[in-house]
């Protein structure tokens, strides 16, 4: 189950970027990972560095729905989250 997964986030406060790594261990599954350290007034670009998928998301969307993660057993995911602008 995804409760057995590991996730790690590195936040670079100077560049307004963070990287999220997710590792599934021996259990495949689907779930959501909520990133930390977001500016509640900002918009973010979220890039899945494995698939190349690129999305624009508000901090509110990321804090409520998180990153959608689906991994096979012994899989990993990697996302780059970049602050793009204020939402106001």
């Amino acid at each position: 189950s995804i409760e057995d997964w590991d996730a790690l986030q590195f936040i670079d406060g100077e560049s307004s970027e963070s990287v999220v790594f997710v590792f599934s261990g021996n259990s495949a599954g689907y779930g959501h990972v909520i990133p930390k350290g977001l500016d509640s007034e900002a918009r973010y670009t979220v890039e899945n560095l494995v698939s190349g998928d690129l999305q624009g998301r508000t901090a509110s969307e990321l804090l409520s729905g998180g990153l959608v993660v689906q991994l096979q057993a012994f899989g990993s995911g990697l996302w780059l989250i970049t602050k793009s602008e204020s939402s106001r």
Side-chain angles (χ1 to χ4, degrees):
S1 74
I2 66 166
E3 289 80 25
D4 297 327
W5 290 8
D6 292 312
L8 172 72
Q9 181 178 6
F10 172 77
I11 301 170
D12 183 350
E14 292 182 17
S15 68
S16 300
E17 290 183 335
S18 68
V19 177
V20 177
F21 304 91
V22 181
F23 307 95
S24 65
N26 63 1
S27 59
Y30 168 88
H32 301 269
V33 175
I34 307 295
K36 306 290 185 197
L38 301 179
D39 175 353
S40 63
E41 302 296 321
R43 291 192 57 80
Y44 290 86
T45 300
V46 179
E47 182 178 2
N48 182 322
L49 296 175
V50 175
S51 71
D53 183 42
L54 193 64
Q55 297 181 346
R57 307 276 302 276
T58 65
S60 177
E61 291 170 330
L62 288 168
L63 292 170
S64 63
L67 301 171
V68 177
V69 179
Q70 183 170 3
L71 296 175
Q72 298 299 318
F74 304 103
S76 62
L78 177 61
W79 290 263
L80 175 64
I81 302 172
T82 307
K83 184 176 176 181
S84 52
E85 62 185 60
S86 172
S87 63
R88 289 189 181 192

